[in-house]
Each structure stands twice: as structure tokens, then as C-alpha cells.
Amino acid sequence: MDATPAPPARTHRRSSRTGVVGKLVVHATVVVALAWLLAAWRKHSDLNLVLDELSEATDDAMLLALSLVGLGDRWLALRSDGATPRHYFKQPASTHAVPEHALLDALAAGQMDWTQSTTPVPISTHSPTMKWVLGGDRAHVPPALWHLTNPKSGVDVAAVHPVREYYNALRYPSLVHLCGGHPATDACRAAATFADPVFGITPLHLARAQGDDRAAQLLLNLGADPGALDLAGRAPGNLSFTHFVTNSRKWAKDPNECAFPVVDASDPADLPNLARLVLEGEPLLLRNFMPAFAPDVWAQYRDLDAVVAQHREAKVRFGQVPYADYFGLETGTTTLGDFYDRFVRSPPSGDAGAGAGKIPQYVFQKHSELTASILPVLERLVASYFPVARDGGRLICPPSFAGTGNASIHYFVGAPGSGAPFHIHADAVNVNLVGTKEWYVTPPLAAPYSRVPVSVWLREGKDGIDHPDKALKCTQRAGDAVYVPFDWAHAVVNRETNFGVALELLNRRDTFVAWPWGDRFIQC
């Protein structure tokens, strides 16, 4: 008897579809690239600035592509297994089979944005949404949040909390669909108490970190343990940092000098506290960092006149706040030498920020050649002194990982009174090379976001939600470094002519890069 012919393999049809999709992606990419070049030319009318911007965008796009390729590989693997890839906020197909990491997966889903950051390091979904809210960009703000925006004039300052609640509400149905109707099942109880094997994070840790009370109550009903400790010894409730501001002021060595934890890099007995504080997710001041770690490198940067002379023709964008155009504010372009002469050495009347007058201008810019000497110093700091996870890898990836450092480091320069208003982003180390500045820091759940120039904010205050009295204040001197954890809001004001560098870092735990595609962790 003749054998029944086997059905035609589906791989050919899938390959055909993949080919069509690939062509569409290529064509779309070309159109987008041409549109971007046209927009950049209209914006700058200067070929050098267009090329500078293209270089920065290319660096970021390459690292984003690496991330998407990894996610794409996972998607193709799911397709080849006959499964359907799960969108961030799409409900699972069934409540009968609940993997042990399902609730952790659902809570982490959609928290990170790899596309809107100014660096290759991901930021929380809240951060770009807040920029769109302040800039009045309703084309990107979800309609449910339109009441927070003003499309005509923008908004000067807003709390992050309503945006956080919006994204929490998007995730909640997935939790209910997984286990809301089956609180007694062993599978749901196991998922509610599951801790990832590397960092010890449970679903309840994530719910408390996001201020998601509904999700937390659901997890507690499923048997989640409010006393479960993660790798840093933190219970879920600790991740809300509810009492951090009060306790930090109480236990600070010198609250008038710095109200959050201080580690002296020149004291071998104190230096181990650096890893503990980073592991606990707390901001810290690393006093005497440059003189203790790299005095020879610091000597290369301490003469600001010489640094500017060496890079005088470098193209810069400047504004009242960093990335002013993101917030619908005016920005200018010139050379570093011209900016330094006009706005730093001899600022226009009132630019010192002491009273009424013109608002100080600020440069916050990438320039790989200018920052080349200090990047290895930061590599040593992260690779040798930051904490280690249970899998033997670093909690925070060193700057050399996938080239993230060179594409994530900025230098900054400005006159007294210049600085940055409240904002949030990935973990970062900020090194002061010249001058003194003041920091104002708040925990994530109390975070404001602002486009108000910091000198104006300090002079006038804004509705109390980001008043200096509600934030931890710290003075950073030349040679000091400040570590700011993921999503902690912070503002800085330069008290003297200021120059330094800021490096954003990839935190494997707090950016939840292991989720939502299973148990795969980035290794670095």
C-alpha cells in the first residue's frame, strides 16, 4: 500500500512570509532614514551637526538592534515550537497551566523602554511618557493621560505617580487572568512565591517597587510572603523606600553636607560599603573618588581652559536644561569654545542664577574623544567594586559590556546656576571634575519630573511637589562621584563653574532585562 504523502512543510511558507516582511522592514527603514536626515537638516542646517547626531543615533541603534535580535531569536524559537509569542500586555492564553515564573513575568512586562533612551541603556516606560506629558506631545501620550498634558504650552512640572498607576493598571488584568479565579491552586501559590534564582526577586517585590497596591493584595491573597528577602536582604516593603528620606536625614554623618549615604573612597575600611549600598539600591556620594582612584587622570581634566582649548571646535547643543528640545524648549548649537566664552567665562547679565535675569545655559553632550581617558576609571569602579550576583556576574554591567559605556557617557559644562531639573533614567555615576554642585534626590514612588530650569525652581518652587525640602540634598565637590539608582528622581544645580561626566549603566536586576522572555539573563 502506498504511503500517504506527507503534508507540505510549513517552513517554506514561513520563509516566504519572512522574506516579504524583511523587504517591508528594509523599505520602511530607508523611508525613516531619509525622513530623519531631512528633519535633522531642517533642524540644524549644518552638515557637521547632522553627522554628529547621526553618529550618536547609529551607536544607540546598533545596541538596540542587538537587544531586538536577542528578543527576535526568542520569538522565532517560540514560533518554531508552535507557540504564540506573548505581547507585553496581552493576556496569557490559558489559566490552567501557570509556569512558576508567570506572575513575575507579568509584573515585569512593559516596565522597560529600549527605544526612547538617549543612551543604549534602557529606561523605565514612565520616563519617555513624562517627557511627552511635559512637552504636550499628545501624539505619544496615551489618551487616558491627556488630562495631564497641555498641548499648547506644555507642563512645567508633574508627579510621575499618575503615569506609574496607568502602567500598573495595564498589567493588572494579566495577573487576574492568570490567578485571580484560582487562588487556591498549587500552581498559582507557587508562582506567587517564586523568587528568581539570581537576584531573589519575587512578584511581591516588583509590585511594591511599582507602588501597585492592587497587585500586592492579589499576591498576598495567593500566599506571597511579605517577609521574603532578596539578594540584598530586602523584604518587598523595603522597595517602596517609604521611610528612606526620613531615615537618611536621621542617620547621615553630616546632613547639612550630604543627607544620603557617603562612602570615602580614600578610606579602605569604608570602601566595602559601596557594594552594599549599590546592592540595596540606595543613592550614595563617593567622596574623594578621583584623587583616590586616578589622580593622574583627574589632572588631565582639572584645567577646564585647557580641556576646552583641546576640543574647541567640537559641536555642542545647549539649552536651559539638558535635551531641551525633548520638552518643547529652545535649544542652540555652536562650538564648545564659543559656548565656553559666551556662557561660562563671561555669562550674560543674570546668568549666574543668583537672582532675576537670564537663565544659565548648559551643555550635556556625548564626545567619545573628550571622555576617553576617564571611561577606563569608571570601568574599574564598576568591575571591581560594585556587587556580584548569585550567578557570578556583576549586578551592574561594566561600561565595556557591548560597548554601552562609550555610547552612554556624556560630559557636562555650565556656569554657576546651570544644571538639570528633576528627571529619572537608568543607574548612573556622575563624576565632578571641576567645581561644586548640589544634588536633590527623591525615591522612585515620590518622583517628580520637571522641565523648569533648576535655578528658577530653587528661587520660586513649583506647587510643592518637588520643593527642595521634600528631597535629600547633597553637596558634591570636585573629584567626588555620585551614584544614582534606577528611576530615582534627581535635580542638580552648579554652585561654581562646573565640568564633569555622567555615565548611565545597565543594571541587570532593576531593569528586569531577564523578563519577559523566560529565564534568560544577560551575562556581563
Side-chain angles (χ1 to χ4, degrees), residues 120-133:
V121 177
I123 53 178
S124 67
T125 310
H126 321 116
S127 184
T129 304
M130 289 304 302
K131 292 177 183 177
W132 297 326
V133 166

Side-chain angles (χ1 to χ4, degrees), residues 381-404:
L381 171 69
V382 176
S384 300
Y385 293 91
F386 275 31
V388 176
R390 287 174 180 159
D391 62 354
R394 288 285 158 185
L395 171 72
I396 296 178
C397 296
S400 59
F401 172 69
T404 51

Side-chain angles (χ1 to χ4, degrees), residues 89 107 111 126 161-175 206-207 209-215 445:
F89 296 116
L107 276 161
Q111 290 198 19
H126 321 116
H161 182 67
V163 173
R164 191 182 295 274
E165 284 192 323
Y166 167 77
Y167 287 110
N168 286 345
L170 289 182
R171 275 185 291 270
Y172 187 73
S174 292
L175 304 178
L206 294 193
Q210 290 299 326
D212 193 340
D213 293 336
R214 284 202 305 168
L445 297 186

Side-chain angles (χ1 to χ4, degrees), residues 28-371:
T29 301
V30 171
V31 171
V32 171
L34 290 173
W36 181 91
L37 286 170
L38 179 60
W41 179 257
R42 287 178 174 175
K43 177 181 175 182
H44 299 301
S45 297
D46 184 318
L47 180 59
N48 288 327
L49 287 175
V50 172
L51 292 176
D52 286 347
E53 190 166 306
L54 177 61
S55 176
E56 292 179 12
T58 302
D59 287 343
D60 294 352
M62 285 179 65
L63 284 156
L64 173 61
L66 290 174
S67 305
L68 293 178
V69 165
L71 186 55
D73 288 344
R74 175 63 177 166
W75 185 85
L76 290 174
L78 286 171
R79 291 287 293 174
S80 66
D81 291 339
T84 301
R86 184 168 65 256
H87 186 271
Y88 274 156
F89 296 116
K90 185 178 180 180
Q91 292 183 355
S94 171
T95 57
H96 298 296
V98 182
E100 62 180 0
H101 60 75
L103 291 173
L104 190 62
D105 190 341
L107 276 161
Q111 290 198 19
M112 304 310 304
D113 191 307
W114 292 79
T115 64
Q116 298 297 324
S117 175
T118 58
T119 76
V121 177
I123 53 178
S124 67
T125 310
H126 321 116
S127 184
T129 304
M130 289 304 302
K131 292 177 183 177
W132 297 326
V133 166
L134 297 182
D137 184 1
R138 285 192 173 178
H140 290 94
V141 175
L145 298 175
W146 279 3
H147 65 285
L148 301 176
T149 68
N150 184 334
K152 292 184 178 180
S153 60
V155 177
D156 284 340
V157 62
V160 179
H161 182 67
V163 173
R164 191 182 295 274
E165 284 192 323
Y166 167 77
Y167 287 110
N168 286 345
L170 289 182
R171 275 185 291 270
Y172 187 73
S174 292
L175 304 178
V176 173
H177 191 73
L178 277 167
C179 286
H182 305 275
T185 64
D186 291 339
C188 281
R189 290 187 182 278
T193 56
F194 173 75
D196 86 78
V198 176
F199 304 111
I201 297 291
T202 69
L204 190 57
H205 280 91
L206 294 193
R208 292 303 188 196
Q210 290 299 326
D212 193 340
D213 293 336
R214 284 202 305 168
Q217 189 56 57
L218 174 62
L219 293 167
L220 290 170
N221 291 343
L222 292 171
D225 180 6
L229 302 181
D230 69 359
L231 175 63
R234 304 177 303 178
N238 296 142
L239 271 67
S240 66
F241 293 97
T242 305
H243 305 294
F244 182 82
V245 171
T246 300
N247 291 337
S248 287
R249 287 198 177 108
K250 178 180 179 181
W251 297 108
K253 298 176 182 177
D254 184 352
N256 294 322
E257 182 71 11
C258 188
F260 51 76
V262 178
V263 174
D264 188 348
S266 64
D267 182 356
D270 198 19
L271 199 53
N273 288 317
L274 171 63
R276 175 182 61 82
L277 292 166
V278 171
L279 186 63
E280 292 174 357
E282 299 180 14
L284 66 93
L285 172 68
L286 187 57
R287 188 72 82 192
N288 301 313
F289 168 61
M290 288 303 293
F293 271 64
D296 54 336
V297 175
W298 190 26
Q300 299 177 32
Y301 290 105
R302 294 187 69 177
D303 186 344
L304 183 53
D305 288 345
V307 173
V308 172
Q310 184 179 357
H311 303 281
R312 188 169 184 82
E313 299 306 315
K315 304 297 183 181
V316 299
R317 301 183 194 93
F318 63 89
Q320 297 173 359
V321 303
Y323 290 100
D325 50 333
Y326 280 42
F327 302 98
L329 302 176
E330 290 186 7
T331 184
T333 56
T334 185
T335 64
L336 177 58
D338 181 62
F339 173 84
Y340 187 59
D341 292 342
R342 290 168 53 200
F343 296 105
V344 181
R345 269 183 166 173
S346 303
S349 176
D351 268 19
K358 293 186 177 180
I359 296 171
Q361 302 294 306
Y362 195 47
V363 164
F364 191 79
Q365 184 92 19
K366 296 178 186 178
H367 192 293
S368 57
E369 183 181 343
L370 191 153
T371 56

Side-chain angles (χ1 to χ4, degrees), residues 108 196 199 508-509 511-522:
D196 86 78
F199 304 111
R508 296 197 299 150
R509 176 189 64 193
T511 52
F512 308 116
V513 294
W515 314 100
W517 51 93
D519 57 355
R520 176 177 140 192
F521 288 85
I522 283 180

Side-chain angles (χ1 to χ4, degrees), residues 353-482:
K358 293 186 177 180
I359 296 171
Q361 302 294 306
Y362 195 47
V363 164
F364 191 79
Q365 184 92 19
K366 296 178 186 178
H367 192 293
S368 57
E369 183 181 343
L370 191 153
T371 56
S373 295
I374 197 169
L375 195 55
V377 181
L378 296 172
E379 173 79 18
R380 178 187 165 211
L381 171 69
V382 176
S384 300
Y385 293 91
F386 275 31
V388 176
R390 287 174 180 159
D391 62 354
R394 288 285 158 185
L395 171 72
I396 296 178
C397 296
S400 59
F401 172 69
T404 51
N406 196 49
S408 300
I409 189 168
H410 292 69
Y411 76 90
F412 50 81
V413 61
S418 62
F422 271 109
H423 60 288
I424 57 176
H425 50 61
D427 294 62
V429 174
N430 183 299
V431 182
N432 240 22
L433 298 168
V434 175
T436 299
K437 69 170 53 173
E438 287 177 355
W439 285 76
Y440 298 87
V441 178
T442 69
L445 297 186
Y449 216 116
S450 175
R451 66 174 189 173
V452 178
V454 68
S455 57
V456 175
W457 168 66
L458 287 170
R459 187 168 64 239
E460 300 176 0
K462 283 288 174 182
D463 302 327
I465 68 169
D466 62 344
H467 192 274
D469 290 344
K470 295 191 175 184
L472 291 172
K473 180 180 175 182
C474 185
T475 300
Q476 182 186 17
R477 305 191 195 104
D480 294 345
V482 167

